[in-house]
Amino acid sequence: MINFVPISQDNTQQVFRFAHISDPHLSSLKDVPWRELLNKRILGYLSWRLSRRHIHRRDILKALIEDLDSRQAQHLLISGDLTHIGTPIECQQVKNWLNELGPASDISVIPGNHDAYIKTDKSQTTDLWASYMDGDAESKAAKMVFPSLRQRGPVAIIGVSSAVPTAPFFATGRIGNKQLELLAQILKQTREQGLFRIIAIHHGPLVDSNKFRKRLIDSERFRSVINAHGAELILHGHGHYPVSDILITADAEIPVIGVASASLLSSSKIKRAGYNVYDVNASSSDWKLQMQSFGYDQGTDKFLTREEKEFVLPRLQNSDISGQTL
Ligand SMILES: [Fe+2]
Ligand SMILES: [Fe+2]
């Protein structure tokens, strides 16, 4: 269980600290019945059998969570691909893991393409994580609806799902028009509330973030929504390596940051398991965002600091917003 630092309830909190992990691929397919594999899942199963079960390591994920626990975070964001092929057994394993990790109010989850591997009855799969995925307003919802919106201290955590089933050998993502329309409304509303808006999405939304077969199909429409309504930070996973970009819009430069897989043992140092910790610091005129990146060091079996970055982002005042057409 992660010891989350409580968030002050009186709106006086100036610094909000949260951690971001992604792509733990933590499930085992050992007990998945064969009847579940008579479709595209057989390819994912073979990939797990031959490779993935050896490189996505539960012991490394455990070490990462222990290290993260020492960082005094107030919230944890998990941006998808918790399973390998999204079977009911795997989703139950993930639910058990989440329950051990901490309360749903302190952990926000969005799905990845591996969690939506084929078209399926979601009540048996990712809806098992509903309490970790739903927004503040839908806490009793029987069915997950994205985008989700959670407010924690000065921050709005906006979960966008790009997880859709795809043809064999493809790992593309799609947000869809309905979600993009709702996203525009949420960004407008949270901007008027003066919140620091974090968008969590599994697929990297920049053109060069992914290979063709792994890309976000409607990334251009996503970027035009961001261009119109802004955001302060966009976080993603999917690539299994750390990446830091900037999305330049009409009136801001928005950090777009991808995190490594939370469990990967790779011969490439940079691809080895890692996680990021962010401090969002509000002053009267701007936001200061500090990022610390930690990566797995195989020699010491510990997580060491990989990178530190700082961003200063404009903080919109009410006078900037009133009368403005968004
Ligand atoms: Fe992944
Ligand atoms: Fe993925």
Side-chain angles (χ1 to χ4, degrees):
M1 181 79 77
I2 295 173
N3 291 296
F4 289 103
V5 174
I7 300 167
S8 82
Q9 299 299 314
D10 57 4
N11 276 340
T12 56
Q13 181 166 331
Q14 292 298 300
V15 182
F16 178 72
R17 171 170 285 197
F18 71 99
H20 175 210
I21 71 171
S22 196
D23 298 77
H25 292 286
L26 65 96
S27 50
S28 165
L29 305 188
K30 203 162 51 75
D31 297 323
V32 172
W34 277 103
R35 66 172 185 279
E36 300 266 11
L37 303 174
L38 301 174
N39 45 48
K40 178 193 165 188
R41 280 179 175 152
I42 189 67
L43 297 170
Y45 176 82
L46 292 171
S47 166
W48 173 77
R49 185 97 210 155
L50 296 171
S51 160
R52 284 178 167 262
R53 70 189 170 126
H54 303 299
I55 58 174
H56 286 290
R57 299 258 301 259
R58 263 311 262 270
D59 58 328
I60 293 180
L61 177 62
K62 188 167 177 281
L64 182 147
I65 294 298
E66 280 169 14
D67 195 77
L68 189 156
D69 191 26
S70 69
R71 307 290 169 196
Q72 300 196 301
Q74 294 175 292
H75 201 82
L76 173 63
L77 178 59
I78 308 176
S79 57
D81 277 4
L82 293 90
T83 67
H84 293 285
I85 53 175
T87 57
I89 282 183
E90 292 177 271
C91 291
Q92 184 60 52
Q93 291 171 20
V94 167
K95 184 182 178 179
N96 297 344
W97 178 76
L98 287 169
N99 288 346
E100 282 168 22
L101 212 54
S105 55
D106 291 334
I107 301 173
S108 297
V109 175
I110 58 166
N113 55 298
H114 280 261
D115 308 319
Y117 212 66
I118 59 167
K119 203 166 168 31
T120 184
D121 175 5
K122 285 190 183 170
S123 69
Q124 304 293 311
T125 58
T126 47
D127 280 0
L128 296 177
W129 320 333
S131 60
Y132 291 86
M133 295 199 294
D134 58 17
D136 294 332
E138 297 90 38
S139 58
K140 299 282 184 293
K143 217 170 162 209
M144 272 314 307
V145 178
F146 288 100
S148 57
L149 170 61
R150 292 176 157 199
Q151 186 183 339
R152 299 291 182 271
V155 160
I157 300 166
I158 303 163
V160 172
S161 174
S162 57
V164 288
T166 62
F169 305 110
F170 277 81
T172 46
R174 186 190 291 276
I175 303 168
N177 291 345
K178 187 156 184 228
Q179 231 190 130
L180 286 165
E181 279 164 27
L182 290 169
L183 176 63
Q185 289 172 23
I186 288 173
L187 288 172
K188 184 171 185 288
Q189 170 204 325
T190 47
R191 174 176 168 144
E192 286 168 0
Q193 289 172 284
L195 298 171
F196 183 93
R197 298 162 297 172
I198 301 164
I199 297 178
I201 180 168
H202 181 66
H203 291 75
L206 299 187
V207 174
D208 296 329
S209 297
N210 301 301
K211 292 179 186 157
F212 181 79
R213 68 176 193 86
K214 294 177 132 194
R215 74 197 191 284
L216 179 65
I217 286 171
D218 43 6
S219 66
E220 197 176 332
R221 283 215 61 212
F222 174 81
R223 291 194 301 275
S224 68
V225 168
I226 304 301
N227 197 42
H229 300 283
E232 278 64 48
L233 178 61
I234 299 172
L235 299 177
H236 67 90
H238 188 52
H240 295 193
Y241 58 87
V243 56
S244 177
D245 281 306
I246 297 286
L247 174 59
I248 299 173
T249 65
D251 52 11
E253 296 188 357
I254 303 165
V256 180
I257 301 175
V259 69
S261 157
S263 64
L264 191 66
L265 183 61
S266 169
S267 55
S268 158
K269 228 174 179 178
I270 195 72
K271 286 186 176 177
R272 275 178 210 152
Y275 70 98
N276 294 338
V277 172
Y278 294 90
D279 284 324
V280 177
N281 199 329
S283 79
S284 56
S285 60
D286 49 36
W287 298 103
K288 195 162 84 176
L289 175 69
Q290 289 169 300
M291 180 190 91
Q292 290 176 280
S293 188
F294 301 95
Y296 180 66
D297 178 66
Q298 206 175 352
T300 59
D301 200 29
K302 291 197 180 323
F303 281 79
L304 307 177
T305 303
R306 221 174 230 168
E307 192 181 17
E308 290 179 320
K309 281 195 168 190
E310 191 173 304
F311 305 87
V312 177
L313 301 147
R315 186 173 185 186
L316 294 173
Q317 305 301 307
N318 282 337
S319 57
D320 297 327
I321 296 166
S322 57
Q324 195 169 343
T325 306
L326 295 174

